[in-house]
Amino acid sequence: MSDKKLWAGRFAEPTDAFVEAFTASVEFDQRLAPYDVQGSIAHATMLAKQGILSDAERDAIIAGLERIMAQIEAGQFDWSIALEDVHMNIEAALTEDIGIAGKKLHTGRSRNDQVATDVRLWLRDELATIGDAIRRLQHALLDLAERETDTILPGFTHLQTAQPITFGHHMMAWFEMLDRDHERMADCARRLNVMPLGAAALAGTTYPIDRQLTAELLGFERPAENSLDAVSDRDFAIEFAAAASILMMHLSRMSEELIIWSSAQFHFITLSDSFCTGSSIMPQKKNPDVPELIRGKSGRVFGHLMALLTLMKSQPLAYNKDNQEDKEPLFDAVDNVKGSLKVFADMMPAVTCNADAMRDAASKGFATATDLADYLVRKGVPFRDAHEVVGKSVAYCVDKRCDLADLSLEQLQGFSDVIDSDVFDCLTLEGSVAARDHIGGTAPAQVKAAIARARKKLA
Ligand code: ARG
């Protein structure tokens, strides 16, 4: 294929060799090839329908593009840095293959509306894949929630034992976080589904094009309203990076909990060997590398969001070459989000709960202190006074190195004379969780209902 630059008509001197490599994007934007071809086929189809190309020219273009795509897929396409980007590589190869008709494909089009279209088509597909990957992880969490609906562990605030909760309830909290992520991705896909083609370089084109038709052919909701905005808008990329960052922030929190829970000190869960690695020096080690790496990757994706925002900041309308820098952060964000979701979903079914250790931890740290206060309130004590009474009982227990449930009825009555033998029902872990029996509460019955609602939603 000839490396002759497609835009070199006015140039007398060749491009500086370093500048050529410096400005080229083909090494990374070649991943857009299927979308570039898809966009070109729709564009050529529209041009022929409008009488701008003949039907024979259209057919030659489409057949040529399909041959090129087959070559690319087979890894036999010769990408050239001198031809700068995916768009000009494909166009040059087309002309080499079919001759003059190839040179007509770019009629009424610019790389500016072309690249904006390609990236949207690509991201639209990736968003669908990411949406499915989120759902897959949600299903894994539902299965685990179902398996461990009654398993009691301490819930924390400030990483200090707060109140007993069930493991199922905790998994359903993660489920909800991911559900909002799924919604954000769907929202991003909906807003990006607008077609730039027809904007050409920035002002539109003089040919009698039918943008509605091209939009329909490519499955876009509608053509973009304004040609300047169409070629320069990268909001959709920033929006995706923001949604991806929030998702990764969630995965980092979930990872952090898995890491803490699997430590020897907590020993709440055991991660499968397949998702851990050893140490080259300390033979006893089993490290939670997978959640750690996901936690680390969140930083990388946040960085891409910053890169994209900064890339767009203060850019005058319309297209600027700066925009070429949108691709690597976007591609990397997509790859890492997909990878993190996949490995998380693979890892969760193999998590085992060490119910005894969780229970032990929940029995320490006065997790049922609030239940005792609520008990006193039910017996007519104002909440603030009840809080004070329980605080004193806890201080007593700390001194005696025991738990509230270990105190005798007489000892408890020493703190408040409204206390009766029924107090022990609310001091047990089961009693405590079962009592939080309302929508969104940790009672196993409520967790079961939440799982059922979630399954229905995902069905
Ligand atoms: N490779 C370019 C990009 O990614 C394609 C658009 C180039 N347009 C231009 N006028 N130089 O943004």
PDB file of all heavy atoms in Angstrom, residues 244-272:
ATOM      1  N   ALA A 244     -17.342   5.189  35.260  1.00  0.00           N
ATOM      2  CA  ALA A 244     -16.366   4.122  35.480  1.00  0.00           C
ATOM      3  C   ALA A 244     -15.613   4.358  36.792  1.00  0.00           C
ATOM      4  O   ALA A 244     -15.318   3.406  37.527  1.00  0.00           O
ATOM      5  CB  ALA A 244     -15.378   4.056  34.309  1.00  0.00           C
ATOM      6  N   SER A 245     -15.324   5.617  37.085  1.00  0.00           N
ATOM      7  CA  SER A 245     -14.608   5.932  38.326  1.00  0.00           C
ATOM      8  C   SER A 245     -15.460   5.598  39.538  1.00  0.00           C
ATOM      9  O   SER A 245     -14.966   5.042  40.523  1.00  0.00           O
ATOM     10  CB  SER A 245     -14.227   7.419  38.367  1.00  0.00           C
ATOM     11  OG  SER A 245     -13.291   7.700  37.358  1.00  0.00           O
ATOM     12  N   ILE A 246     -16.739   5.924  39.464  1.00  0.00           N
ATOM     13  CA  ILE A 246     -17.627   5.618  40.597  1.00  0.00           C
ATOM     14  C   ILE A 246     -17.735   4.103  40.770  1.00  0.00           C
ATOM     15  O   ILE A 246     -17.649   3.583  41.885  1.00  0.00           O
ATOM     16  CB  ILE A 246     -19.024   6.263  40.401  1.00  0.00           C
ATOM     17  CG1 ILE A 246     -18.878   7.797  40.357  1.00  0.00           C
ATOM     18  CG2 ILE A 246     -19.975   5.848  41.520  1.00  0.00           C
ATOM     19  CD1 ILE A 246     -20.165   8.542  40.031  1.00  0.00           C
ATOM     20  N   LEU A 247     -17.864   3.404  39.641  1.00  0.00           N
ATOM     21  CA  LEU A 247     -17.902   1.942  39.704  1.00  0.00           C
ATOM     22  C   LEU A 247     -16.621   1.390  40.338  1.00  0.00           C
ATOM     23  O   LEU A 247     -16.664   0.533  41.223  1.00  0.00           O
ATOM     24  CB  LEU A 247     -18.088   1.371  38.288  1.00  0.00           C
ATOM     25  CG  LEU A 247     -17.832  -0.123  38.101  1.00  0.00           C
ATOM     26  CD1 LEU A 247     -18.838  -0.964  38.882  1.00  0.00           C
ATOM     27  CD2 LEU A 247     -17.902  -0.499  36.623  1.00  0.00           C
ATOM     28  N   MET A 248     -15.466   1.894  39.886  1.00  0.00           N
ATOM     29  CA  MET A 248     -14.190   1.399  40.424  1.00  0.00           C
ATOM     30  C   MET A 248     -14.047   1.767  41.902  1.00  0.00           C
ATOM     31  O   MET A 248     -13.470   1.015  42.683  1.00  0.00           O
ATOM     32  CB  MET A 248     -13.014   1.951  39.613  1.00  0.00           C
ATOM     33  CG  MET A 248     -12.891   1.389  38.203  1.00  0.00           C
ATOM     34  SD  MET A 248     -12.775  -0.418  38.095  1.00  0.00           S
ATOM     35  CE  MET A 248     -11.203  -0.726  38.909  1.00  0.00           C
ATOM     36  N   MET A 249     -14.585   2.938  42.272  1.00  0.00           N
ATOM     37  CA  MET A 249     -14.569   3.325  43.690  1.00  0.00           C
ATOM     38  C   MET A 249     -15.369   2.292  44.493  1.00  0.00           C
ATOM     39  O   MET A 249     -14.938   1.843  45.557  1.00  0.00           O
ATOM     40  CB  MET A 249     -15.150   4.738  43.808  1.00  0.00           C
ATOM     41  CG  MET A 249     -15.322   5.267  45.222  1.00  0.00           C
ATOM     42  SD  MET A 249     -16.904   4.805  45.950  1.00  0.00           S
ATOM     43  CE  MET A 249     -18.070   5.761  45.001  1.00  0.00           C
ATOM     44  N   HIS A 250     -16.510   1.882  43.952  1.00  0.00           N
ATOM     45  CA  HIS A 250     -17.287   0.846  44.631  1.00  0.00           C
ATOM     46  C   HIS A 250     -16.503  -0.465  44.721  1.00  0.00           C
ATOM     47  O   HIS A 250     -16.435  -1.086  45.777  1.00  0.00           O
ATOM     48  CB  HIS A 250     -18.610   0.593  43.886  1.00  0.00           C
ATOM     49  CG  HIS A 250     -19.635   1.647  44.145  1.00  0.00           C
ATOM     50  ND1 HIS A 250     -20.653   1.934  43.263  1.00  0.00           N
ATOM     51  CD2 HIS A 250     -19.806   2.493  45.194  1.00  0.00           C
ATOM     52  CE1 HIS A 250     -21.404   2.897  43.765  1.00  0.00           C
ATOM     53  NE2 HIS A 250     -20.910   3.261  44.925  1.00  0.00           N
ATOM     54  N   LEU A 251     -15.907  -0.857  43.594  1.00  0.00           N
ATOM     55  CA  LEU A 251     -15.153  -2.118  43.614  1.00  0.00           C
ATOM     56  C   LEU A 251     -13.985  -2.030  44.596  1.00  0.00           C
ATOM     57  O   LEU A 251     -13.610  -3.018  45.226  1.00  0.00           O
ATOM     58  CB  LEU A 251     -14.632  -2.467  42.210  1.00  0.00           C
ATOM     59  CG  LEU A 251     -15.692  -2.789  41.142  1.00  0.00           C
ATOM     60  CD1 LEU A 251     -15.017  -3.254  39.854  1.00  0.00           C
ATOM     61  CD2 LEU A 251     -16.683  -3.851  41.616  1.00  0.00           C
ATOM     62  N   SER A 252     -13.406  -0.830  44.742  1.00  0.00           N
ATOM     63  CA  SER A 252     -12.277  -0.688  45.667  1.00  0.00           C
ATOM     64  C   SER A 252     -12.758  -0.832  47.120  1.00  0.00           C
ATOM     65  O   SER A 252     -12.053  -1.381  47.959  1.00  0.00           O
ATOM     66  CB  SER A 252     -11.559   0.649  45.462  1.00  0.00           C
ATOM     67  OG  SER A 252     -12.233   1.705  46.119  1.00  0.00           O
ATOM     68  N   ARG A 253     -13.961  -0.355  47.395  1.00  0.00           N
ATOM     69  CA  ARG A 253     -14.497  -0.509  48.758  1.00  0.00           C
ATOM     70  C   ARG A 253     -14.808  -1.981  49.038  1.00  0.00           C
ATOM     71  O   ARG A 253     -14.510  -2.505  50.113  1.00  0.00           O
ATOM     72  CB  ARG A 253     -15.779   0.321  48.921  1.00  0.00           C
ATOM     73  CG  ARG A 253     -15.558   1.803  48.756  1.00  0.00           C
ATOM     74  CD  ARG A 253     -16.827   2.593  49.004  1.00  0.00           C
ATOM     75  NE  ARG A 253     -17.257   2.468  50.405  1.00  0.00           N
ATOM     76  CZ  ARG A 253     -18.377   3.005  50.875  1.00  0.00           C
ATOM     77  NH1 ARG A 253     -19.184   3.677  50.083  1.00  0.00           N
ATOM     78  NH2 ARG A 253     -18.699   2.861  52.144  1.00  0.00           N
ATOM     79  N   MET A 254     -15.406  -2.636  48.051  1.00  0.00           N
ATOM     80  CA  MET A 254     -15.708  -4.062  48.213  1.00  0.00           C
ATOM     81  C   MET A 254     -14.408  -4.855  48.380  1.00  0.00           C
ATOM     82  O   MET A 254     -14.310  -5.750  49.232  1.00  0.00           O
ATOM     83  CB  MET A 254     -16.498  -4.555  46.990  1.00  0.00           C
ATOM     84  CG  MET A 254     -17.893  -3.934  46.915  1.00  0.00           C
ATOM     85  SD  MET A 254     -18.635  -3.867  45.245  1.00  0.00           S
ATOM     86  CE  MET A 254     -18.676  -5.579  44.784  1.00  0.00           C
ATOM     87  N   SER A 255     -13.405  -4.495  47.586  1.00  0.00           N
ATOM     88  CA  SER A 255     -12.103  -5.173  47.666  1.00  0.00           C
ATOM     89  C   SER A 255     -11.495  -4.993  49.046  1.00  0.00           C
ATOM     90  O   SER A 255     -10.986  -5.943  49.648  1.00  0.00           O
ATOM     91  CB  SER A 255     -11.131  -4.595  46.637  1.00  0.00           C
ATOM     92  OG  SER A 255     -11.592  -4.846  45.337  1.00  0.00           O
ATOM     93  N   GLU A 256     -11.559  -3.771  49.524  1.00  0.00           N
ATOM     94  CA  GLU A 256     -10.980  -3.462  50.834  1.00  0.00           C
ATOM     95  C   GLU A 256     -11.617  -4.330  51.915  1.00  0.00           C
ATOM     96  O   GLU A 256     -10.941  -4.855  52.797  1.00  0.00           O
ATOM     97  CB  GLU A 256     -11.194  -1.975  51.135  1.00  0.00           C
ATOM     98  CG  GLU A 256     -10.779  -1.521  52.515  1.00  0.00           C
ATOM     99  CD  GLU A 256      -9.281  -1.395  52.695  1.00  0.00           C
ATOM    100  OE1 GLU A 256      -8.532  -1.662  51.723  1.00  0.00           O
ATOM    101  OE2 GLU A 256      -8.850  -1.038  53.801  1.00  0.00           O
ATOM    102  N   GLU A 257     -12.927  -4.509  51.835  1.00  0.00           N
ATOM    103  CA  GLU A 257     -13.594  -5.338  52.850  1.00  0.00           C
ATOM    104  C   GLU A 257     -13.157  -6.794  52.729  1.00  0.00           C
ATOM    105  O   GLU A 257     -12.906  -7.459  53.737  1.00  0.00           O
ATOM    106  CB  GLU A 257     -15.115  -5.182  52.734  1.00  0.00           C
ATOM    107  CG  GLU A 257     -15.522  -3.765  53.097  1.00  0.00           C
ATOM    108  CD  GLU A 257     -17.009  -3.552  53.311  1.00  0.00           C
ATOM    109  OE1 GLU A 257     -17.821  -4.047  52.511  1.00  0.00           O
ATOM    110  OE2 GLU A 257     -17.360  -2.858  54.279  1.00  0.00           O
ATOM    111  N   LEU A 258     -13.030  -7.270  51.486  1.00  0.00           N
ATOM    112  CA  LEU A 258     -12.560  -8.657  51.315  1.00  0.00           C
ATOM    113  C   LEU A 258     -11.158  -8.812  51.899  1.00  0.00           C
ATOM    114  O   LEU A 258     -10.837  -9.835  52.517  1.00  0.00           O
ATOM    115  CB  LEU A 258     -12.541  -9.036  49.827  1.00  0.00           C
ATOM    116  CG  LEU A 258     -13.906  -9.137  49.121  1.00  0.00           C
ATOM    117  CD1 LEU A 258     -13.713  -9.477  47.643  1.00  0.00           C
ATOM    118  CD2 LEU A 258     -14.794 -10.197  49.789  1.00  0.00           C
ATOM    119  N   ILE A 259     -10.328  -7.806  51.692  1.00  0.00           N
ATOM    120  CA  ILE A 259      -8.945  -7.864  52.183  1.00  0.00           C
ATOM    121  C   ILE A 259      -8.932  -7.898  53.721  1.00  0.00           C
ATOM    122  O   ILE A 259      -8.259  -8.729  54.337  1.00  0.00           O
ATOM    123  CB  ILE A 259      -8.139  -6.657  51.643  1.00  0.00           C
ATOM    124  CG1 ILE A 259      -7.979  -6.772  50.119  1.00  0.00           C
ATOM    125  CG2 ILE A 259      -6.774  -6.561  52.327  1.00  0.00           C
ATOM    126  CD1 ILE A 259      -7.578  -5.474  49.429  1.00  0.00           C
ATOM    127  N   ILE A 260      -9.710  -7.004  54.317  1.00  0.00           N
ATOM    128  CA  ILE A 260      -9.757  -6.963  55.783  1.00  0.00           C
ATOM    129  C   ILE A 260     -10.346  -8.277  56.325  1.00  0.00           C
ATOM    130  O   ILE A 260      -9.798  -8.895  57.232  1.00  0.00           O
ATOM    131  CB  ILE A 260     -10.612  -5.774  56.272  1.00  0.00           C
ATOM    132  CG1 ILE A 260      -9.939  -4.453  55.898  1.00  0.00           C
ATOM    133  CG2 ILE A 260     -10.844  -5.840  57.779  1.00  0.00           C
ATOM    134  CD1 ILE A 260     -10.753  -3.226  56.261  1.00  0.00           C
ATOM    135  N   TRP A 261     -11.456  -8.697  55.745  1.00  0.00           N
ATOM    136  CA  TRP A 261     -12.134  -9.898  56.238  1.00  0.00           C
ATOM    137  C   TRP A 261     -11.270 -11.162  56.111  1.00  0.00           C
ATOM    138  O   TRP A 261     -11.440 -12.099  56.877  1.00  0.00           O
ATOM    139  CB  TRP A 261     -13.439 -10.139  55.455  1.00  0.00           C
ATOM    140  CG  TRP A 261     -14.518  -9.149  55.729  1.00  0.00           C
ATOM    141  CD1 TRP A 261     -14.601  -8.272  56.765  1.00  0.00           C
ATOM    142  CD2 TRP A 261     -15.696  -8.938  54.938  1.00  0.00           C
ATOM    143  NE1 TRP A 261     -15.750  -7.527  56.663  1.00  0.00           N
ATOM    144  CE2 TRP A 261     -16.447  -7.916  55.550  1.00  0.00           C
ATOM    145  CE3 TRP A 261     -16.182  -9.516  53.765  1.00  0.00           C
ATOM    146  CZ2 TRP A 261     -17.652  -7.450  55.051  1.00  0.00           C
ATOM    147  CZ3 TRP A 261     -17.391  -9.060  53.265  1.00  0.00           C
ATOM    148  CH2 TRP A 261     -18.121  -8.030  53.889  1.00  0.00           C
ATOM    149  N   SER A 262     -10.396 -11.182  55.100  1.00  0.00           N
ATOM    150  CA  SER A 262      -9.611 -12.407  54.908  1.00  0.00           C
ATOM    151  C   SER A 262      -8.306 -12.374  55.696  1.00  0.00           C
ATOM    152  O   SER A 262      -7.535 -13.329  55.654  1.00  0.00           O
ATOM    153  CB  SER A 262      -9.354 -12.656  53.420  1.00  0.00           C
ATOM    154  OG  SER A 262      -8.594 -11.602  52.885  1.00  0.00           O
ATOM    155  N   SER A 263      -8.049 -11.292  56.437  1.00  0.00           N
ATOM    156  CA  SER A 263      -6.819 -11.238  57.241  1.00  0.00           C
ATOM    157  C   SER A 263      -6.945 -12.218  58.409  1.00  0.00           C
ATOM    158  O   SER A 263      -8.052 -12.566  58.837  1.00  0.00           O
ATOM    159  CB  SER A 263      -6.601  -9.824  57.784  1.00  0.00           C
ATOM    160  OG  SER A 263      -7.607  -9.520  58.732  1.00  0.00           O
ATOM    161  N   ALA A 264      -5.799 -12.643  58.949  1.00  0.00           N
ATOM    162  CA  ALA A 264      -5.807 -13.592  60.072  1.00  0.00           C
ATOM    163  C   ALA A 264      -6.524 -12.982  61.269  1.00  0.00           C
ATOM    164  O   ALA A 264      -7.188 -13.683  62.036  1.00  0.00           O
ATOM    165  CB  ALA A 264      -4.370 -13.958  60.448  1.00  0.00           C
ATOM    166  N   GLN A 265      -6.421 -11.664  61.423  1.00  0.00           N
ATOM    167  CA  GLN A 265      -7.022 -10.996  62.578  1.00  0.00           C
ATOM    168  C   GLN A 265      -8.551 -11.060  62.523  1.00  0.00           C
ATOM    169  O   GLN A 265      -9.205 -11.217  63.536  1.00  0.00           O
ATOM    170  CB  GLN A 265      -6.548  -9.541  62.653  1.00  0.00           C
ATOM    171  CG  GLN A 265      -5.079  -9.367  63.061  1.00  0.00           C
ATOM    172  CD  GLN A 265      -4.091  -9.866  62.020  1.00  0.00           C
ATOM    173  OE1 GLN A 265      -4.410  -9.978  60.838  1.00  0.00           O
ATOM    174  NE2 GLN A 265      -2.881 -10.177  62.465  1.00  0.00           N
ATOM    175  N   PHE A 266      -9.117 -10.909  61.345  1.00  0.00           N
ATOM    176  CA  PHE A 266     -10.578 -10.991  61.202  1.00  0.00           C
ATOM    177  C   PHE A 266     -11.022 -12.433  60.958  1.00  0.00           C
ATOM    178  O   PHE A 266     -11.902 -12.931  61.624  1.00  0.00           O
ATOM    179  CB  PHE A 266     -11.050 -10.112  60.037  1.00  0.00           C
ATOM    180  CG  PHE A 266     -11.347  -8.696  60.433  1.00  0.00           C
ATOM    181  CD1 PHE A 266     -10.318  -7.803  60.706  1.00  0.00           C
ATOM    182  CD2 PHE A 266     -12.651  -8.258  60.531  1.00  0.00           C
ATOM    183  CE1 PHE A 266     -10.595  -6.497  61.068  1.00  0.00           C
ATOM    184  CE2 PHE A 266     -12.943  -6.951  60.907  1.00  0.00           C
ATOM    185  CZ  PHE A 266     -11.906  -6.064  61.166  1.00  0.00           C
ATOM    186  N   HIS A 267     -10.417 -13.031  59.922  1.00  0.00           N
ATOM    187  CA  HIS A 267     -10.733 -14.414  59.541  1.00  0.00           C
ATOM    188  C   HIS A 267     -12.234 -14.626  59.310  1.00  0.00           C
ATOM    189  O   HIS A 267     -12.778 -15.685  59.606  1.00  0.00           O
ATOM    190  CB  HIS A 267     -10.196 -15.375  60.620  1.00  0.00           C
ATOM    191  CG  HIS A 267     -10.218 -16.804  60.168  1.00  0.00           C
ATOM    192  ND1 HIS A 267      -9.613 -17.234  59.014  1.00  0.00           N
ATOM    193  CD2 HIS A 267     -10.813 -17.914  60.726  1.00  0.00           C
ATOM    194  CE1 HIS A 267      -9.834 -18.524  58.869  1.00  0.00           C
ATOM    195  NE2 HIS A 267     -10.555 -18.962  59.878  1.00  0.00           N
ATOM    196  N   PHE A 268     -12.921 -13.592  58.756  1.00  0.00           N
ATOM    197  CA  PHE A 268     -14.359 -13.727  58.487  1.00  0.00           C
ATOM    198  C   PHE A 268     -14.613 -14.584  57.251  1.00  0.00           C
ATOM    199  O   PHE A 268     -15.623 -15.256  57.149  1.00  0.00           O
ATOM    200  CB  PHE A 268     -14.996 -12.354  58.230  1.00  0.00           C
ATOM    201  CG  PHE A 268     -15.237 -11.532  59.455  1.00  0.00           C
ATOM    202  CD1 PHE A 268     -14.781 -11.939  60.707  1.00  0.00           C
ATOM    203  CD2 PHE A 268     -15.933 -10.339  59.367  1.00  0.00           C
ATOM    204  CE1 PHE A 268     -15.001 -11.172  61.841  1.00  0.00           C
ATOM    205  CE2 PHE A 268     -16.170  -9.565  60.494  1.00  0.00           C
ATOM    206  CZ  PHE A 268     -15.705  -9.974  61.724  1.00  0.00           C
ATOM    207  N   ILE A 269     -13.721 -14.459  56.273  1.00  0.00           N
ATOM    208  CA  ILE A 269     -13.928 -15.193  55.015  1.00  0.00           C
ATOM    209  C   ILE A 269     -12.622 -15.854  54.592  1.00  0.00           C
ATOM    210  O   ILE A 269     -11.540 -15.496  55.073  1.00  0.00           O
ATOM    211  CB  ILE A 269     -14.370 -14.262  53.858  1.00  0.00           C
ATOM    212  CG1 ILE A 269     -13.313 -13.169  53.600  1.00  0.00           C
ATOM    213  CG2 ILE A 269     -15.730 -13.655  54.102  1.00  0.00           C
ATOM    214  CD1 ILE A 269     -13.440 -12.532  52.226  1.00  0.00           C
ATOM    215  N   THR A 270     -12.745 -16.809  53.699  1.00  0.00           N
ATOM    216  CA  THR A 270     -11.567 -17.379  53.061  1.00  0.00           C
ATOM    217  C   THR A 270     -11.742 -17.199  51.558  1.00  0.00           C
ATOM    218  O   THR A 270     -12.798 -17.507  51.009  1.00  0.00           O
ATOM    219  CB  THR A 270     -11.429 -18.878  53.402  1.00  0.00           C
ATOM    220  OG1 THR A 270     -11.492 -19.007  54.824  1.00  0.00           O
ATOM    221  CG2 THR A 270     -10.113 -19.437  52.903  1.00  0.00           C
ATOM    222  N   LEU A 271     -10.724 -16.629  50.938  1.00  0.00           N
ATOM    223  CA  LEU A 271     -10.736 -16.493  49.479  1.00  0.00           C
ATOM    224  C   LEU A 271     -10.141 -17.763  48.898  1.00  0.00           C
ATOM    225  O   LEU A 271      -9.233 -18.360  49.484  1.00  0.00           O
ATOM    226  CB  LEU A 271      -9.883 -15.290  49.050  1.00  0.00           C
ATOM    227  CG  LEU A 271     -10.374 -13.895  49.470  1.00  0.00           C
ATOM    228  CD1 LEU A 271      -9.314 -12.845  49.148  1.00  0.00           C
ATOM    229  CD2 LEU A 271     -11.683 -13.556  48.767  1.00  0.00           C
ATOM    230  N   SER A 272     -10.658 -18.158  47.746  1.00  0.00           N
ATOM    231  CA  SER A 272     -10.140 -19.365  47.112  1.00  0.00           C
ATOM    232  C   SER A 272      -8.675 -19.155  46.714  1.00  0.00           C
ATOM    233  O   SER A 272      -8.268 -18.063  46.323  1.00  0.00           O
ATOM    234  CB  SER A 272     -10.989 -19.672  45.885  1.00  0.00           C
ATOM    235  OG  SER A 272     -10.204 -20.317  44.917  1.00  0.00           O
TER     236      SER A 272
END
